Amino acid sequence: MIINKVSEELYSKAVGYIPGGVNSPVRAFRSVGLCPHFIKSGQGSHIVDEDGNDFIDYVCSWGPLILGHANPEVLDAISRTMRDGTSFGAPTRREIDMAELISELVPSIEMVRLVSSGTEATMSAIRLARGYTGREKIVKFSGCYHGHSDGLLAKAGSGAATFSIPDSLGAPKSLVEQTIVLPYNDLEGVRECFQSMPGQIAAIIVEPIAGNMGVVKPLAGFLEGLRDICSSNGSLLIFDEVISGFRVALGGAQELYGVIPDLTCLGKIIGGGLPVGAFGGPRKIMEFLAPVGGVYQAGTLSGNPLAVSAGLATLRILKRDNPYPSLEEKSSRLTRGLAEILSRKSLKNTVNRLGSLFSVFFDMESVTNYEEAIKADKSRFNTFFAKMLDQGIYLAPSAFEAWFVSTAHSDQDIDYTLNCAERSL
Ligand SMILES: *Cc1c(COP(=O)(O)O)cnc(C)c1O
């Protein structure tokens, strides 16, 4: 057993001052019934906790750190910027560079607005879609998470699945009623919904590759079908690419599948480990935003110099180095190895993977939506999680989260992880 003494002391102090001891619920390790490790530092693919335990990290801050921890070029960009001041609340040159680069890499984005989190990006994109269409209802899919704004907390994936909270207290019913929740990958359901509410639906918001109920890929034709339905009904299609953006390809899921949304939400990787989100699309829609148009949206720290520097450095490295083939190679070796161990031990499983984003569902033949995902064997996952942690492998503490592989993960990291999995199963 690894020693967790300092973390236990810190946790017992933290719960006195911070609800549950954490600033975001899943960090508390409740679903796996363990004490969270307090992290002191990270370098490349590794993190070290306050007790000095060293882990290979497959959480990577829940996705942002595609270049691993403390990437020297990203740190340089931040430290050079910070000497000139940390925030002005006035436009800066760097924000144009960032907007230009995002629209180059994600061609459906002609104009973009920067915010400080994925939650803000989706919340604002929905307001914009409502303002643009003059309609109020939105469609989302069960198991998709789009941040924690009131109207989007219906059937919102891992948090709810982990804690069995169907919705959140405090989210006004009148607002949540404007959100229609449908099963992922079920086009017929979407068609019926649009037929029953003609002219009322402002937008469909979807994770084009779902990453918050474990990884679930769109079935052939699903995204194309959503595009057609939105186009023929005057509704907007919003891709929430907060996870998939710059993760599965430079141009995100929309590049991979060739389906062009009206609006795209970004976050995680575009902040390079600092708080950044963004939403963008064609000029004719984006200019509905204030100060040009009538949809209000703002932020004291939006486009913050440090955050934009970290994000810009990250995107420039991704564009320069094209790490996607090597991420694919490493991740596929890891998942093939895991699947091989599981089948050798006659443990039924499904591994859903897209590039460096994947998850393992224990005791499942296939997983194509939330209703199936939650049938995966949670107690086997919890045992697996604890045994992996004991051997120095840090996974997301929930059966409904993804593993993230970064450019910093080495072949030795992968080999060691597979050895640990062999012993754990
Ligand atoms: C993480 C996430 C969000 C929310 O982003 P925050 O920065 O945590 O607010 C929104 N959508 C998706 C798909 C996410 O994975």
Side-chain angles (χ1 to χ4, degrees):
M1 282 296 283
I2 51 172
I3 309 276
N4 200 16
K5 194 164 169 296
V6 180
S7 283
E8 276 167 9
E9 282 163 18
L10 290 171
Y11 187 53
S12 67
K13 180 164 187 193
V15 295
Y17 292 102
I18 304 170
V22 291
N23 284 311
S24 195
V26 76
R27 294 179 197 171
F29 275 33
R30 288 213 171 182
S31 64
V32 291
L34 296 170
C35 171
H37 290 248
F38 281 67
I39 305 304
K40 193 168 185 178
S41 66
Q43 191 64 244
S45 58
H46 286 248
I47 50 175
V48 177
D49 71 10
E50 291 279 354
D51 288 274
N53 299 305
D54 188 305
F55 301 95
I56 301 174
D57 179 19
Y58 289 102
V59 179
C60 289
S61 188
W62 303 89
L65 302 181
I66 192 167
L67 304 174
H69 294 272
N71 177 280
E73 286 180 73
V74 175
L75 294 189
D76 264 1
I78 298 169
S79 67
R80 265 184 281 119
T81 302
M82 85 189 175
R83 286 176 224 293
D84 292 329
T86 56
S87 184
F88 308 107
T92 56
R93 187 185 288 269
R94 225 176 266 109
E95 292 162 79
I96 315 172
D97 297 342
M98 179 87 161
E100 195 177 16
L101 184 56
I102 290 172
S103 79
E104 178 197 325
L105 300 179
V106 187
S108 73
I109 298 180
E110 246 169 40
M111 297 188 121
V112 63
R113 177 145 292 171
L114 299 181
V115 292
S116 300
S117 69
T119 295
E120 270 187 272
T122 52
M123 178 184 84
S124 309
I126 293 229
R127 186 180 305 137
L128 177 58
R130 285 177 166 147
Y132 180 77
T133 58
R135 304 173 181 177
E136 298 217 332
K137 292 200 186 303
I138 56 165
V139 168
K140 81 174 279 291
F141 297 96
S142 53
C144 284
Y145 177 66
H146 304 293
H148 63 93
S149 66
D150 287 340
L152 289 170
L153 271 181
K155 296 260 176 71
S158 56
T162 304
F163 301 111
S164 309
I165 304 170
D167 296 305
S168 174
L169 292 176
K173 215 157 132 204
S174 56
L175 198 60
V176 177
E177 274 168 8
Q178 302 302 318
T179 307
I180 301 148
V181 184
L182 300 174
Y184 196 76
N185 271 328
D186 175 13
L187 263 188
E188 211 33 59
V190 181
R191 279 198 198 99
E192 281 166 20
C193 169
F194 273 73
Q195 270 158 19
S196 69
M197 296 174 194
Q200 295 177 51
I201 298 166
I204 296 178
I205 185 165
V206 63
E207 288 182 78
I209 299 160
N212 286 288
M213 46 175 144
V215 174
V216 174
K217 296 195 231 183
L219 293 177
F222 179 59
L223 299 175
E224 292 84 349
L226 297 182
R227 177 66 278 174
D228 289 346
I229 292 168
C230 284
S231 299
S232 52
N233 286 280
S235 307
L236 299 189
L237 179 61
I238 305 174
F239 274 6
D240 180 352
E241 297 227 43
V242 170
I243 285 187
S244 57
F246 312 105
R247 165 65 57 182
V248 296
L250 262 185
Q254 52 197 273
E255 176 186 314
L256 220 56
Y257 290 100
V259 176
I260 304 306
D262 298 297
L263 293 174
T264 300
C265 302
L266 296 166
K268 298 199 166 108
I269 289 174
I270 58 160
L274 269 73
V276 183
F279 62 104
R283 170 190 290 267
K284 71 171 194 297
I285 302 176
M286 291 301 287
E287 286 195 335
F288 265 67
L289 285 175
V292 191
V295 176
Y296 193 72
Q297 186 280 329
T300 303
L301 291 174
S302 292
N304 172 264
L306 296 189
V308 171
S309 295
L312 201 49
T314 300
L315 297 192
R316 282 176 173 157
I317 293 169
L318 293 175
K319 184 183 163 195
R320 182 192 69 200
D321 295 350
N322 184 24
Y324 298 99
S326 107
L327 283 169
E328 165 71 27
E329 198 275 320
K330 269 190 282 196
S331 311
S332 100
R333 201 159 69 76
L334 179 52
T335 52
R336 271 184 285 125
L338 288 169
E340 191 271 320
I341 294 166
L342 284 156
S343 59
R344 193 152 30 76
K345 306 200 181 229
S346 305
L347 296 170
K348 200 162 63 164
N349 71 91
T350 291
V351 180
N352 285 349
R353 182 179 69 84
L354 229 159
S356 56
L357 177 70
F358 69 89
S359 46
V360 180
F361 296 92
F362 290 117
D363 202 31
M364 293 299 291
E365 300 277 0
S366 79
V367 177
T368 62
N369 61 29
Y370 178 72
E371 292 67 24
E372 289 168 4
I374 55 170
K375 290 188 193 140
D377 190 335
K378 285 180 269 304
S379 73
R380 188 181 295 286
F381 173 83
N382 287 359
T383 311
F384 177 69
F385 173 86
K387 289 186 175 176
M388 292 296 270
L389 191 69
D390 249 3
Q391 298 176 82
I393 309 292
Y394 190 85
L395 306 176
S398 159
F400 308 104
E401 299 285 359
W403 300 43
F404 295 97
V405 178
S406 77
T407 59
H409 285 81
S410 65
D411 286 337
Q412 294 92 300
D413 288 336
I414 307 285
D415 290 336
Y416 181 73
T417 306
L418 288 172
N419 289 336
C420 293
E422 173 85 49
R423 283 190 292 270
S424 299
L425 290 162

